[in-house]
Amino acid sequence: MSSTKTKKNIAFWLTGLGSALLIAAVVSPFASSNPDGLDRVSEDHGFDTKAQADPPSHKLPFYSVFDEYALRGVPSAVATPLAGVIGTLVVFGLAWGTGKLLVRPSGVEGSGLGSESDGADRG
Amino acid sequence: MLRSFGLPGSPVSLLETLTGTGQPCLAMHIPDGFLSLPVSLVTWAISIALIALALRQVKVDYQDRAVPLMGICAAFIFAAQMINFPIPGGTSGHLLGGTLAGVLLGPWAGTLVMTVVFIVQAVLFQDGGLTVLGANIFNMGLVGTFGGYYLYKTLRSALGFNRWRGMAIAVAITAWLSVVVGSLVCALQLAISGTVPLAVAVTAMVGWHILIGIGEALITLVAISYVWRTRPDLLYDPPRIAAQKYPLPNLDPR
């Protein structure tokens, strides 16, 4: 009984994560390229000087990996889908990890994936 | 008065841009350099205070079944934010997700999810400035996870808490309003920073986001409706039918 419930949960989680990855990988190249933000406007209309030309994020090591939502060093057709998939997995892991660290395992039967390891590895 | 907080080095004015070149196209990820130091600091302080409160509440209030949902919700909102949909007038918008996270996970875990999304966007993908991250978290996240959540709950209670229709109307109105209010707050921050005159900022930002908010309402409604139909027990405020369909051994959140 508990295992059917766990299976149901896993199916739901996989559907959720799967659709997020699908959106990031398949739909992202079709996103509208119309201007979408102060950053973009400043580039399009030539007042980049008002936005900081060399923002602090360019000093981070990630800047050599991602050029905004494009993975560097891969063909441009897959640069954005790959960046999207990586980003989706990173936020998934970080948000899950944040919850995992904060929420005390309740030990309730079949209460979700979070309890499958009995939480024994967490303090 | 408007410029009293402006620093000498702060951006001059967006006015020429907005009026001189035709299309004022403002969405919401603020880059470094658009907000004055005082505005950045105040918005950082507000966001950090609310995030700290959220960290504590999640520790006290949540059960571990919420944990995977936090990951899924963050993944979905991050992916959906990449998809700009065109709106009439040559600009585009994308989901913000604050209301979605708040409705799904409640204001506390919802706030943490949104915070993770904006941190990753700014740190990994240079989307939104690091110095103004506090403002971006507030405008696009906390306005929805707190303001949006509590308005949604009030409306849903008034319209029929356990009926799809009550939930749907509450979600749609709240999601739309959270985008409009978020853009208004952003406009105020820009004006107080001396970046752009108040009237121009408010007109341009709110004008576009009245349209962008419709997309927010549709996407949020589709996502929440999917959970409502498949696993209503996972909603932060589950409808009564959920308890019959998925009886839980222990309902009180400790």
Side-chain angles (χ1 to χ4, degrees):
Chain A
M1 175 190 120
S2 147
S3 86
T4 34
K5 190 141 195 191
T6 306
K7 261 182 203 154
K8 230 176 217 170
N9 278 335
I10 293 176
F12 184 83
W13 309 138
L14 286 181
T15 308
L17 182 61
S19 54
L21 288 171
L22 211 64
I23 291 169
V26 181
V27 189
S28 63
F30 299 100
S32 167
S33 56
N34 284 344
D36 80 313
L38 297 167
D39 197 19
R40 188 62 175 270
V41 182
S42 67
E43 285 167 23
D44 287 354
H45 300 280
F47 48 96
D48 323 38
T49 44
K50 288 173 187 171
Q52 219 165 297
D54 190 26
S57 59
H58 287 190
K59 299 193 173 58
L60 297 175
F62 306 110
Y63 184 54
S64 59
V65 182
F66 299 106
D67 179 14
E68 294 185 352
Y69 292 100
L71 184 63
R72 293 180 192 269
V74 297
S76 62
V78 293
T80 295
L82 282 175
V85 166
I86 295 169
T88 302
L89 290 174
V90 169
V91 294
F92 173 74
L94 285 178
W96 182 313
T98 304
K100 184 81 182 154
L101 285 173
L102 291 172
V103 177
R104 215 179 303 161
S106 64
V108 171
E109 240 196 15
S111 64
L113 292 181
S115 63
E116 81 188 338
S117 64
D118 298 342
D121 51 335
R122 303 273 173 196
Chain B
M1 167 80 174
L2 279 180
R3 289 174 175 270
S4 60
F5 288 109
L7 295 181
S10 69
V12 192
S13 165
L14 277 175
L15 185 57
E16 307 122 41
T17 322
L18 295 173
T19 53
T21 50
Q23 294 291 347
C25 309
L26 301 173
M28 265 204 257
H29 280 81
I30 304 170
D32 292 308
F34 274 64
L35 297 185
S36 66
L37 187 61
V39 172
S40 298
L41 291 178
V42 168
T43 47
W44 263 117
I46 296 171
S47 290
I48 288 174
L50 289 171
I51 292 165
L53 200 60
L55 285 167
R56 214 191 59 187
Q57 286 300 116
V58 168
K59 222 173 187 168
V60 179
D61 257 6
Y62 283 66
Q63 294 185 340
D64 46 11
R65 49 203 287 277
V67 173
L69 199 57
M70 287 173 72
I72 306 288
C73 185
F76 180 82
I77 288 171
F78 176 87
Q81 282 209 6
M82 288 184 73
I83 312 302
N84 285 67
F85 47 83
I87 60 166
T91 185
S92 72
H94 60 69
L95 180 81
L96 300 184
T99 303
L100 174 56
V103 169
L104 201 55
L105 288 159
W108 313 113
T111 289
L112 298 187
V113 160
M114 294 309 294
T115 303
V116 164
V117 169
F118 292 122
I119 289 175
V120 169
Q121 286 176 336
V123 171
L124 252 58
F125 300 102
Q126 306 109 44
D127 190 13
L130 287 173
T131 60
V132 294
L133 187 53
N136 280 329
I137 289 174
F138 183 86
N139 301 347
M140 296 185 286
L142 308 188
V143 166
T145 55
F146 287 105
Y149 171 75
Y150 289 110
L151 178 64
Y152 145 81
K153 204 171 174 189
T154 308
L155 287 175
R156 193 179 139 191
S157 299
L159 294 166
F161 194 82
N162 295 311
R163 295 174 58 205
W164 181 84
R165 203 165 141 262
M167 178 280 293
I169 297 172
V171 162
I173 292 176
T174 307
W176 178 80
L177 198 62
S178 71
V179 172
V180 175
V181 171
S183 75
L184 181 64
V185 174
C186 180
L188 292 176
Q189 292 161 352
L190 290 169
I192 295 171
S193 297
T195 303
V196 59
L198 182 65
V200 177
V202 170
T203 311
M205 288 296 284
V206 175
W208 285 113
H209 285 88
I210 282 175
L211 296 174
I212 293 175
I214 297 172
E216 180 89 11
L218 289 174
I219 297 169
T220 307
L221 182 56
V222 167
I224 297 296
S225 290
Y226 175 73
V227 180
W228 179 280
R229 285 185 202 285
T230 54
R231 290 296 302 273
D233 59 309
L234 289 176
L235 288 171
Y236 187 70
D237 299 301
R240 203 183 298 125
I241 44 159
Q244 294 155 8
K245 213 169 163 188
Y246 294 96
L248 288 170
N250 177 17
L251 272 174
D252 59 320
R254 258 210 294 197

